[in-house]
Amino acid sequence: MKKLMPICETCLNKNCFIKKHLHLEKMKNYVDKKHSFHCNKSKQFMLEGAPLQGLYFIYKGKAKTVKTGINGREQIVRFTKEGDIVGFRGFGTNNRYLIGAYAIEDIILCNFSNEVMMEILKNIPEFTFNLMLFYAEELNKSENNVRKIAHMSVRERVIDTLLYIHRKFGQTNDYINIELSRKDISDFAGTTEEQVIRVISNLKKEFLINVSGKQIGLLKINSLRKEIFDHKYILK
DNA sequence: GCATTAATTGGTC
DNA sequence: GACCAATTAATGC
């Protein structure tokens, strides 16, 4: 089971950037040059400040990308899943990664080296154009997140985080399809572990969510959305 | 089973 | 609302 080597042609990740452009003739020259590997749960596979080693594409599993703050606290930049790109922030301009990345569960990654990525970007305009659109979108999301942390209360930020992972990972059998520690949630919401525990405990008492260990399920999505929306309106 | 880590609760500033 | 301490639950080895 250590020999599992993902093949782009048979890959099921429709939203993967490589897969999306596989119909282009030139692309086929490059996909064989990737190298794939496993990374176990909670292990780090990308180090903040380390020299660039190309881009990572998640073949299977979930991961988080983090940035170390001034006080040593970690801020989770985003959560990622199958088909997502990791490591694109430092690409091109910097020669080092600006963020670190950890596996949330056992994952399989596909890595394209700097050299191969450069070749793709220079030779396949359609790919480059779409990547630019992707960058613009990510920048927008990132700015929105900064605004959230600045203007929303802790309770609102936690609710917002829950709605986000619910939207991103989906929910089956009354529980969201990702298991995060309270610390992970707090590092994303920009608060502390204790605050997250208290908010989650309250939301459970109010019958807005289901909680069973690390599993969380949203019960009244509209009520939760409304709470965020109302307060945003007051603040802006 | 013991040791480390995570979750929870209460308290202080 | 952050930080700290104490207790308990969960998990790793």
Side-chain angles (χ1 to χ4, degrees):
Chain A
M1 66 182 213
K2 195 68 185 151
K3 269 288 160 211
L4 181 52
M5 175 69 178
I7 311 288
C8 288
E9 277 79 3
T10 60
C11 178
L12 298 174
N13 295 325
K14 296 292 248 180
N15 61 325
C16 170
F17 239 77
I18 300 295
K19 182 72 181 180
K20 267 191 213 165
H21 295 85
L22 204 58
H23 62 280
L24 299 169
E25 269 307 313
K26 287 180 188 167
M27 204 62 199
K28 296 180 169 59
N29 304 326
Y30 301 118
V31 293
D32 297 334
K33 294 182 179 172
K34 76 172 188 292
H35 84 268
S36 304
F37 58 96
H38 290 249
C39 178
N40 290 337
K41 183 179 177 179
S42 67
K43 292 280 185 293
Q44 190 167 21
F45 62 87
M46 207 174 86
L47 197 63
E48 188 177 347
L52 287 184
Q53 289 172 352
L55 289 184
Y56 296 93
F57 295 83
I58 300 178
Y59 176 71
K60 189 167 193 327
K62 303 176 182 69
K64 62 179 176 182
T65 54
V66 304
K67 200 171 177 65
T68 313
I70 29 170
N71 44 9
R73 273 246 307 270
E74 281 188 338
Q75 170 74 43
I76 293 180
V77 180
R78 63 199 258 270
F79 295 109
T80 49
K81 63 175 181 181
E82 302 83 17
D84 285 340
I85 308 176
V86 178
F88 61 87
R89 270 155 223 265
F91 201 71
T93 50
N94 300 71
N95 57 356
R96 289 178 183 278
Y97 288 118
L98 301 172
I99 52 167
Y102 295 82
I104 289 176
E105 51 192 46
D106 290 357
I107 60 174
I108 302 172
L109 295 156
C110 298
N111 177 258
F112 284 79
S113 70
N114 298 326
E115 293 72 25
V116 174
M117 281 314 302
M118 282 299 177
E119 288 296 310
I120 293 175
L121 291 173
K122 276 191 246 173
N123 294 326
I124 310 182
E126 190 175 341
F127 185 96
T128 310
F129 177 74
N130 284 326
L131 190 68
M132 194 207 72
L133 294 181
F134 170 77
Y135 268 71
E137 203 175 308
E138 284 299 316
L139 185 62
N140 183 36
K141 283 183 195 166
S142 167
E143 284 171 354
N144 279 340
N145 213 33
V146 170
R147 200 160 52 211
K148 271 175 200 161
I149 290 177
H151 289 150
M152 290 165 70
S153 71
V154 166
R155 180 181 163 103
E156 288 161 351
R157 266 138 54 192
V158 172
I159 291 175
D160 192 68
T161 302
L162 294 178
L163 287 169
Y164 166 69
I165 61 171
H166 177 268
R167 188 172 64 241
K168 169 117 195 174
F169 298 100
Q171 178 164 299
T172 48
N173 300 328
D174 293 335
Y175 288 106
I176 299 173
N177 300 320
I178 186 174
E179 285 191 14
L180 296 173
S181 68
R182 306 293 192 257
K183 183 87 169 53
D184 282 339
I185 296 173
S186 70
D187 284 348
F188 185 80
T191 180
T192 61
E193 193 178 358
E194 295 92 330
Q195 297 276 27
V196 168
I197 287 166
R198 279 159 183 141
V199 172
I200 285 178
S201 174
N202 284 335
L203 294 175
K204 189 184 180 182
K205 280 181 204 159
E206 295 165 32
F207 302 106
L208 293 171
I209 62 171
N210 263 327
V211 182
S212 173
K214 283 192 175 181
Q215 300 202 83
I216 297 173
L218 305 191
L219 287 174
K220 297 181 183 171
I221 296 164
N222 285 333
S223 303
L224 293 167
R225 283 209 189 109
K226 192 166 180 298
E227 190 165 334
I228 300 284
F229 183 79
D230 285 352
H231 289 230
K232 256 186 192 165
Y233 186 72
I234 293 165
L235 285 166
K236 261 293 169 188

